[in-house]
């Protein structure tokens, strides 16, 4: 990402999203985050998010077009379904979108089929096959895992340094506690509930 770019991060208070907000801000971007509660919105405000959209009470597409009338330069998208399609429709002519998940389409959601009914790109296929799609001058990437981990070898040191310097906050969800391997199914169910903030940890 480049300084001054308008960056959308969906599920911005989640395990990946809250880090992405901070990295984009450190890069000098104008950051837009989506979330589903006032509590999460407060967290995003504290992390420095420039614009916060509560998708449960606001029209996401209308807000994005107001904030970024020329389109979004970069999108980190992990929700899938209707949110994915909205992000695509609001992408700038030369925008880039990275798909890192599609939680609204997972089997736990009884409305998963309706979520994807109007989508022009299959998020599951894009993600699991790590596809790159060119749509005019737009680029849509599926999955973030590099083919050569040597290319990101220094990332761990950079992240730990930022954390040590107090420039990066790591949020761990504290609404429920999970301990032991037997609690993993409950932790996953909690993670899928939409109630969490930050990472869900099993001790």
């Amino acid at each position: 990402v480049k300084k001054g770019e308008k960056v959308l991060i969906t599920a911005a208070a989640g395990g990946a999203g809250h880090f992405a907000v901070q990295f984009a801000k450190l890069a000098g971007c104008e950051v837009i985050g989506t979330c589903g509660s006032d509590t999460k919105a407060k967290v995003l405000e504290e992390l420095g998010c420039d614009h916060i959209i509560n998708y449960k009470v606001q029209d996401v597409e209308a807000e994005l077009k107001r904030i970024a009338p020329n389109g979004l330069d970069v999108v980190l998208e992990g929700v899938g379904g209707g949110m994915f399609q909205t992000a695509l429709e609001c992408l700038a002519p030369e925008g880039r979108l990275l798909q890192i998940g599609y939680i609204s389409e997972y089997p736990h959601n009884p409305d998963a089929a309706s979520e994807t009914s109007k989508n022009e790109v299959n998020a599951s296929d894009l993600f699991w096959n790590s596809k790159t799609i060119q749509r005019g001058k737009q680029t849509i990437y599926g999955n973030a895992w590099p083919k050569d981990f040597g290319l990101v070898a220094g990332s761990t040191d950079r992240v730990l340094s930022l954390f040590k310097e107090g420039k990066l906050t790591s949020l761990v969800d504290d609404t429920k506690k999970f301990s032991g391997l037997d609690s993993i199914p409950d932790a996953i169910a909690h993670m899928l509930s939409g109630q969490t903030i930050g990472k869900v940890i099993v001790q």
Side-chain angles (χ1 to χ4, degrees), residues 133-146:
I133 298 173
Q134 292 297 145
R135 209 174 66 153
K137 292 185 178 181
Q138 296 174 339
T139 307
I140 303 162
Y141 302 97
N143 204 332
W145 294 107

Side-chain angles (χ1 to χ4, degrees), residues 3-14:
K3 184 177 180 179
E5 288 190 313
K6 293 194 175 185
V7 177
L8 169 67
I9 298 162
T10 63

Side-chain angles (χ1 to χ4, degrees), residues 57-189:
V57 296
Q58 293 175 279
D59 183 321
V60 176
E61 184 173 356
E63 287 299 303
L64 289 176
K65 289 181 176 178
R66 178 184 64 81
I67 297 164
N70 296 319
L72 301 162
D73 298 300
V74 178
V75 177
L76 184 74
E77 211 296 289
V79 176
M83 186 69 77
F84 179 35
Q85 183 62 32
T86 296
L88 285 174
E89 290 173 357
C90 293
L91 200 60
E94 297 185 21
R96 296 100 67 202
L97 183 149
L98 173 60
Q99 183 73 15
I100 61 167
Y102 51 102
I103 193 168
S104 70
E105 301 178 34
Y106 295 170
H108 74 289
N109 182 8
D111 300 319
S114 63
E115 277 281 349
T116 61
S117 61
K118 297 179 181 179
N119 284 20
E120 59 186 283
V121 177
N122 184 312
S124 174
D125 179 52
L126 178 69
F127 179 84
W128 289 109
N129 291 303
S130 300
K131 289 184 173 181
T132 298
I133 298 173
Q134 292 297 145
R135 209 174 66 153
K137 292 185 178 181
Q138 296 174 339
T139 307
I140 303 162
Y141 302 97
N143 204 332
W145 294 107
K147 298 291 189 295
D148 178 3
F149 280 88
L151 297 173
V152 294
S155 297
T156 300
D157 290 340
R158 177 178 177 240
V159 169
L160 291 176
S161 294
L162 288 170
F163 180 75
K164 184 177 180 180
E165 294 166 10
K167 296 178 181 178
L168 187 67
T169 298
S170 177
L171 298 177
V172 175
D173 184 77
D174 61 2
T175 55
K176 288 187 178 182
K177 303 295 184 184
F178 301 97
S179 180
L181 293 177
D182 290 345
S183 71
I184 289 177
D186 291 335
I188 292 173

